[in-house]
Amino acid sequence: MSTDPDRTAQADALLGTLQKERGGQLKVFLGAAPGVGKTFAMLSAARELKRQNIDVVVGLVETHGRAETAALLEGLELLPRRQVEYKGQALTELDIDALLARKPRLALVDELAHQNIPGSRHERRYQDIEELLDAGIDVYTTLNIQHIESLNDLVMQITGVRVRETVPDAFLDRARDLVLVDLPPRELIERLQQGKVYMPDQAASALQAFFSPANLTALRDLAVQQVGDRVDADMREHRVARGLGPVPVRQRVIAAVDGLENSEYLVRVTRKIAERRQAPWTVTFVDTGTVDAARMPLVDECFALARRLGGDCVILRGLSVVDEILAYASSHAVSTIVIGRTRERPFARMFNRTLTQQLLQKGAHFELTIISTPYARARSRRLLGNGNQGTAELTQELSYATVTTALATVIAAAAERWFGLEDMSSIFITAVLFVAVRTRMSVAVYAATLCFMSYNFFFIPPRFTFYIAAGPGVVTVTSFLIVALICGRLANRLRNQVSMLRAANAHTAALQGLGQRLGAAANEAEVYAAALVVLRQVLNADVVVLVVDESLQRLSEVASEPRNLSLDLPARAAADWAVAHQQAAGRTTDTLQAVPWWCLPLMAGERALGVVCLRFPDGMARVPPELKSLAQAMVQDLAQALARTRLVDQLEAARVQGETEMLRSALLSSVSHDLRSPLSAIIGSAESLSAYRDQLSPEDQRGLAEAIHSEGLRLDRYIQNLLDMTRLGHGSLKLERQWSALEEIAGSAVARLRKLYPAVPVEVQLSPDIGLMHVHPALIEQALFNILENAAKFSPPGASVTIRAANVDGRLRIDISDAGPGIPENERKRIFDMFYSVERGDRGAQGTGLGLSICQGMIGAHGGSVSALAGPHDQGTTIRILLPISPPPNPAAGEG
């Protein structure tokens, strides 16, 4: 039975296989050196596919003047190259847009490691090929072994040449096939001497340097080993995907870099270690709050290299490098920690102060790999030596420590002379504390040492010499030095803690402020407005937000800060690419990095909703990692808020659609019944009159005619209700107010009711203080009639319907009461909904459910309200109408 780790590993292997099958397929023709025949082999394979009627297009092939290679291009479709002008020279590059538009089954793109001309969409050609693969185009390409990123240092050790054009191993992992094009070193040298690789003058120098027999042999072995490792990896993945053989549990490998010495070499070594173990890997950097500004660009370079090689990057923050590394390793299933060899310091072995010694002491359950590269250390020192900014800052801090020590010496001398102070140590310790809380630890140690020497020279007998005559003096100055160093260390730690806490609080406050604003946003416009304000204030950057317009299938600018800011064509291209590939583009990235905008896609799950473009001030040479992390977190919050508002809109639309469907169904049901009933009666009566007129008595004929008239009136009322409800729903019901008396309006409604229900008595009780009403008379009459008809329909035989009206609290109150069965209290509010019927109440199964809804709309159009209450003495139902009372007309004003 398989264990959980086995099933997890099998799932990972199957997922990796499926990912390789997605998009286009990549085949790389790998060689140990130029001239082994990679392009020749690639063209030969392409011609064979062409003979099989496969659509093959040559995107870019470099023949280097070799006739036999150029001959293989005959019969293949050649795509014209893109013309580029750079520094006054006309150059050519791969036309990736034309190739994407052509979209062949197979594209040939030579020289995978080529660096594109500045200003191109991508910095490297492998990124162009990556875009072709994502578009579903198969690609054949060529590569030399020295251009693989993880082998860069090893190639330099072999050849003494640092190769600048490299391809990340993570990209090569996408290759479905890796074809080794091999040629023995002796034959390659013969080709070189015959001028088939380089021109004769170049061939002579190449034979003396890169193309030496020893170098070619070593590079050939390296190429064979690379292909062999790939075959082993594919075999392991194949077996794991099918559940064959034992599967070890994968554990993470991490590299701890410091931005100095051998950081880049550590990244490459960690990649190779993780590759051999089939393990994920991460590069970590611990920020203790005392990092020099000159080191951060080197850390950024290391992180960029790690991402190109397929690793993760993490910045840890804390006071202890060792504790942070071990804490991260313990919480992320790390098995191996890779570090650079640290320099031994005096007494370091005694106090376990080096990073290596502390890790060996505290991390006994981890595998510790220590790497040493002297040439990388020297290179880092040279790079740091060029950091004028760091040197100037250090000089300023040392000057501050020196001045503080001198000032402390003056104060101590004055205190001794004028106040008789004998112990000056507290003054100098205070000076050390002042320096420690404002500078780095090394400067604090310098200040403590300087204060110790000043204290000894000026205040310990014999004075003005470093010699100490008495034993107590030795104890005093030694104790002072120890206390000063301890106080300086503690003060510096406190400074670092405050600095990191301030940065963390700023990060948290920014995200919290953005979250509060986004949480209060009710629609997309408010979301954009809230996000723009916070992004502008916190990041100090220009912001443009673009969203995907589904109808136009393109990006549309929806908001910007400052206002009326717009993207130029290169920035728009970066934004389009970021959305299409769901990756950041522009500044700080490897895609369109010449564009000053940093374009971050708004990701909601696996879908890009749009893109946020940020442009930092021109004076900001680099974007700090903490600012990049904050920007990415804020953009992600914006994406979630945008997705939330769209989901709310979709749910509301679904709710409205559901209610519309329910209304439509109810309307169809009502129309099918309430139109059919009077029509059936009318048709039946008319057929009887037509067929049996001679046999019917005059009374029967009159009865049938009255039935036709009655049912016609019923049908007319129902159609009128539908028309009124339609006008109310569309807002087209207009009020034509007139000054009218309630007595006349009520009398007309009662007269209409008596024609339908002559047996139902109606009592009208109007208060004498009711004046004229400024209303639409026909609408108020229709509203009263609908309520009266509803009441008469369910009143018991002989029971009367009562109309009472009076002025109450500045409003006209009209109560219409019946003695029917009443309406349950929990349903009284719902009786005004369209098509809602209460079987035990005022509307039975024969009602349309429109009368009271129309009544509510008509009264509401006058600024009034309608409500259902219990009838008098809790019997029956009372429908109460409240209407505002308008001031009576002024006759004198009308005469003028």
Side-chain angles (χ1 to χ4, degrees):
M1 181 176 179
S2 299
T3 61
D4 288 340
D6 292 341
R7 288 195 296 268
T8 301
Q10 185 176 358
D12 290 342
L14 285 171
L15 181 60
T17 303
L18 291 176
Q19 289 176 343
K20 286 185 178 181
E21 296 295 332
R22 292 174 57 187
Q25 303 301 319
L26 175 65
K27 176 180 285 190
V28 179
F29 293 83
L30 180 68
V36 297
K38 302 180 299 298
T39 305
F40 189 92
M42 178 181 70
L43 290 174
S44 299
R47 291 179 65 86
E48 178 62 30
L49 293 177
K50 182 69 174 179
R51 282 193 290 269
Q52 300 175 17
N53 295 324
I54 301 297
D55 185 16
V56 180
V57 171
V58 178
L60 188 146
V61 166
E62 298 289 356
T63 62
H64 297 288
R66 300 163 192 161
E68 63 274 16
T69 303
L72 293 177
L73 290 173
E74 296 180 3
L76 296 177
E77 179 182 347
L78 299 178
L79 191 73
R81 300 190 185 188
R82 180 171 58 94
Q83 301 295 323
V84 181
E85 184 175 349
Y86 180 68
K87 293 184 178 181
Q89 295 183 350
L91 305 174
T92 61
E93 282 286 7
L94 171 67
D95 194 340
I96 184 172
D97 289 325
L99 195 53
L100 288 171
R102 172 64 174 78
K103 199 170 185 180
R105 173 74 177 276
L106 173 64
L108 307 184
V109 183
D110 207 1
E111 297 187 356
L112 176 62
H114 172 75
Q115 184 171 0
N116 292 331
I117 298 172
S120 300
R121 179 187 305 177
H122 301 296
E123 181 184 6
R124 301 295 178 87
R125 182 165 292 166
Y126 76 83
Q127 295 172 307
D128 295 335
I129 295 178
E130 194 169 29
E131 189 166 347
L132 296 175
L133 295 173
D134 292 339
I137 301 174
D138 294 347
V139 177
Y140 282 5
T141 187
T142 61
L143 179 69
N144 287 324
I145 190 67
Q146 67 266 24
H147 295 292
I148 297 179
E149 181 67 63
S150 61
L151 302 177
N152 190 259
D153 293 291
L154 187 56
V155 170
M156 198 240 172
Q157 292 178 6
I158 295 173
T159 64
V161 177
R162 171 69 69 182
V163 178
R164 300 301 177 187
E165 295 181 337
T166 57
V167 177
D169 295 58
F171 176 79
L172 291 178
D173 290 342
R174 293 192 59 171
R176 182 175 183 177
D177 297 314
L178 197 62
V179 180
L180 177 61
V181 182
D182 188 30
L183 192 67
R186 180 180 54 80
E187 295 184 16
L188 179 58
I189 293 175
E190 290 178 359
R191 285 174 53 84
L192 190 67
Q193 292 172 343
Q194 295 170 1
K196 295 182 178 181
V197 180
Y198 295 127
M199 299 299 292
D201 54 343
Q202 296 177 331
S205 59
L207 286 171
Q208 306 253 338
F210 190 88
F211 281 82
S212 66
N215 288 352
L216 293 178
T217 301
L219 292 174
R220 186 189 185 199
D221 292 342
L222 198 59
V224 172
Q225 179 182 350
Q226 181 73 18
V227 175
D229 291 343
R230 175 58 184 267
V231 171
D232 291 342
D234 288 346
M235 179 59 68
R236 285 194 298 269
E237 184 175 342
H238 175 80
R239 292 182 60 83
V240 169
R242 287 156 181 77
L244 304 176
V247 181
V249 178
R250 297 197 306 168
Q251 290 186 308
R252 185 172 293 274
V253 178
I254 66 171
V257 301
D258 56 5
L260 300 173
E261 299 177 345
N262 49 9
S263 296
E264 290 190 2
Y265 183 75
L266 279 180
V267 173
R268 294 188 177 97
V269 170
T270 304
R271 155 71 191 194
K272 299 305 293 184
I273 293 174
E275 183 181 23
R276 287 195 295 268
R277 302 183 182 185
Q278 293 292 295
W281 60 287
T282 302
V283 176
T284 64
F285 172 76
V286 181
D287 183 5
T288 60
T290 60
V291 181
D292 296 336
R295 291 170 57 183
M296 293 311 299
L298 298 177
V299 174
D300 291 344
E301 291 180 7
C302 289
F303 279 9
L305 174 62
R307 293 188 184 98
R308 290 198 303 269
L309 295 177
D312 298 327
C313 303
V314 175
I315 295 181
L316 308 175
R317 290 180 172 83
L319 297 176
S320 173
V321 175
V322 174
D323 292 343
E324 293 301 322
I325 292 175
L326 293 179
Y328 180 84
S330 299
S331 60
H332 289 79
V334 172
S335 62
T336 304
I337 301 175
V338 182
I339 63 172
R341 180 179 178 183
T342 53
R343 297 189 302 273
E344 295 289 341
R345 298 180 177 87
F347 307 107
R349 188 175 300 277
M350 180 183 301
F351 297 104
N352 290 326
R353 300 307 301 163
T354 67
L355 177 66
T356 304
Q357 292 168 339
Q358 293 182 66
L359 286 174
L360 288 172
Q361 183 183 35
K362 298 181 179 181
H365 57 290
F366 295 106
E367 177 186 347
L368 189 63
T369 302
I370 304 171
I371 307 298
S372 177
T373 54
Y375 72 90
R377 183 185 305 124
R379 173 178 177 271
S380 294
R381 288 174 178 171
R382 288 195 304 272
L383 289 174
L384 286 179
N386 295 330
N388 296 328
Q389 181 180 358
T391 302
E393 185 178 354
L394 178 61
T395 302
Q396 183 179 0
E397 292 180 356
L398 291 174
S399 301
Y400 174 76
T402 303
V403 172
T404 303
T405 302
L407 184 60
T409 303
V410 173
I411 294 174
E416 181 184 35
R417 180 176 180 180
W418 293 332
F419 300 103
L421 185 64
E422 296 181 355
D423 187 6
M424 311 299 170
S425 60
S426 59
I427 297 177
F428 286 101
I429 289 177
T430 302
V432 173
L433 292 177
F434 267 99
V435 174
V437 297
R438 288 172 171 80
T439 62
R440 67 195 76 186
M441 184 59 197
S442 58
V443 178
V445 172
Y446 166 76
T449 305
L450 204 59
C451 287
F452 161 75
M453 297 175 63
S454 179
Y455 183 33
N456 181 15
F457 188 82
F458 291 105
F459 300 102
I460 299 297
R463 301 195 178 196
F464 308 110
T465 179
F466 292 109
Y467 175 74
I468 303 176
V474 175
V475 174
T476 299
V477 295
T478 303
S479 301
F480 167 78
L481 179 60
I482 295 174
V483 172
L485 291 174
I486 294 175
C487 290
R489 174 64 175 171
L490 294 177
N492 190 261
R493 287 173 63 92
L494 179 61
R495 169 182 175 267
N496 295 339
Q497 287 179 336
V498 171
S499 176
M500 287 186 291
L501 183 61
R502 186 180 293 114
N505 285 341
H507 188 105
T508 304
L511 292 178
Q512 184 178 8
L514 178 62
Q516 290 175 349
R517 287 176 175 266
L518 294 178
N523 51 54
E524 288 192 27
E526 294 181 3
V527 167
Y528 298 141
L532 286 176
V533 171
V534 178
L535 287 171
R536 174 72 172 175
Q537 292 177 350
V538 175
L539 302 179
N540 188 28
D542 297 336
V543 187
V544 175
V545 180
L546 303 93
V547 297
V548 178
D549 191 329
E550 300 292 348
S551 59
L552 301 178
Q553 293 297 316
R554 64 180 180 85
L555 286 175
S556 299
E557 296 183 10
V558 294
S560 64
E561 185 64 32
R563 294 182 180 272
N564 300 324
L565 185 64
S566 183
L567 299 180
D568 54 14
L569 290 179
R572 171 72 72 157
D576 290 335
W577 193 92
V579 171
H581 296 80
Q582 301 182 0
Q583 298 176 14
R587 184 179 180 180
T588 77
T589 70
D590 294 331
T591 301
L592 296 172
Q593 56 184 252
V595 176
W597 293 86
W598 184 28
C599 302
L600 297 171
L602 290 166
M603 298 301 302
E606 296 183 354
R607 187 166 63 98
L609 304 179
V611 62
V612 174
C613 299
L614 303 173
R615 182 174 62 185
F616 295 96
D618 295 336
M620 185 180 293
R622 54 176 294 273
V623 182
E626 58 273 12
L627 192 61
K628 293 176 63 176
S629 176
L630 178 60
Q632 291 169 341
M634 297 177 76
V635 169
Q636 184 61 31
D637 287 350
L638 171 58
Q640 297 301 323
L642 185 59
R644 171 182 57 81
T645 56
R646 291 188 175 183
L647 179 60
V648 170
D649 293 341
Q650 292 172 1
L651 292 176
E652 179 65 17
R655 184 188 66 81
V656 172
Q657 184 179 3
E659 292 182 353
T660 303
E661 287 297 321
M662 293 177 58
L663 181 62
R664 186 180 66 85
S665 299
L667 178 61
L668 291 176
S669 176
S670 175
V671 169
S672 64
H673 178 273
D674 292 283
L675 286 181
R676 186 184 298 274
S677 298
L679 284 175
S680 298
I682 292 172
I683 293 172
S685 299
E687 287 180 348
S688 298
L689 284 174
S690 176
Y692 307 105
R693 178 184 297 272
D694 297 336
Q695 290 84 3
L696 294 175
S697 65
E699 291 78 9
D700 292 337
Q701 294 180 15
R702 188 179 303 108
L704 289 174
E706 290 177 353
I708 293 174
H709 182 261
S710 175
E711 293 299 327
L713 292 176
R714 177 184 170 190
L715 182 60
D716 179 69
R717 289 195 308 274
Y718 181 71
I719 294 176
Q720 184 62 40
N721 282 343
L722 288 177
L723 292 175
D724 290 343
M725 203 68 235
T726 302
R727 288 197 293 267
L728 285 171
H730 289 83
S732 60
L733 187 65
K734 298 180 179 180
L735 297 182
E736 298 179 1
R737 294 178 182 266
Q738 301 176 11
W739 291 101
S740 306
L742 177 61
E743 183 178 1
E744 295 179 1
I745 296 176
S748 298
V750 171
R752 290 173 59 187
L753 181 69
R754 283 173 178 165
K755 293 180 180 180
L756 297 176
Y757 299 96
V760 177
V762 179
E763 297 181 9
V764 180
Q765 302 175 9
L766 304 181
S767 176
D769 61 344
I770 298 176
L772 296 177
M773 301 186 303
H774 195 227
V775 297
H776 191 304
L779 294 183
I780 297 299
E781 178 188 334
Q782 183 65 39
L784 293 177
F785 176 76
N786 286 350
I787 298 174
L788 288 171
E789 182 186 20
N790 194 67
K793 188 183 303 182
F794 295 101
S795 293
S800 62
V801 176
T802 305
I803 302 176
R804 296 182 179 88
N807 291 333
V808 180
D809 297 331
R811 307 187 78 180
L812 174 61
R813 187 176 74 186
I814 304 173
D815 290 345
I816 301 177
S817 304
D818 63 60
I823 301 174
E825 184 177 359
N826 61 344
E827 297 189 36
R828 289 173 185 168
K829 291 183 178 180
R830 301 183 63 189
I831 66 171
F832 299 100
D833 296 341
M834 286 189 296
F835 307 108
Y836 183 79
S837 297
V838 183
E839 292 185 0
R840 297 175 297 168
D842 286 340
R843 288 181 287 174
Q846 296 180 352
T848 64
L850 287 175
L852 291 182
S853 299
I854 295 173
C855 174
Q856 185 183 47
M858 292 177 173
I859 298 300
H862 287 80
S865 62
V866 185
S867 58
L869 307 171
H873 311 293
D874 293 330
Q875 181 179 2
T877 300
T878 295
I879 302 296
R880 174 168 292 175
I881 298 175
L882 293 176
L883 287 170
I885 298 177
S886 301
N890 187 357
E895 293 175 1

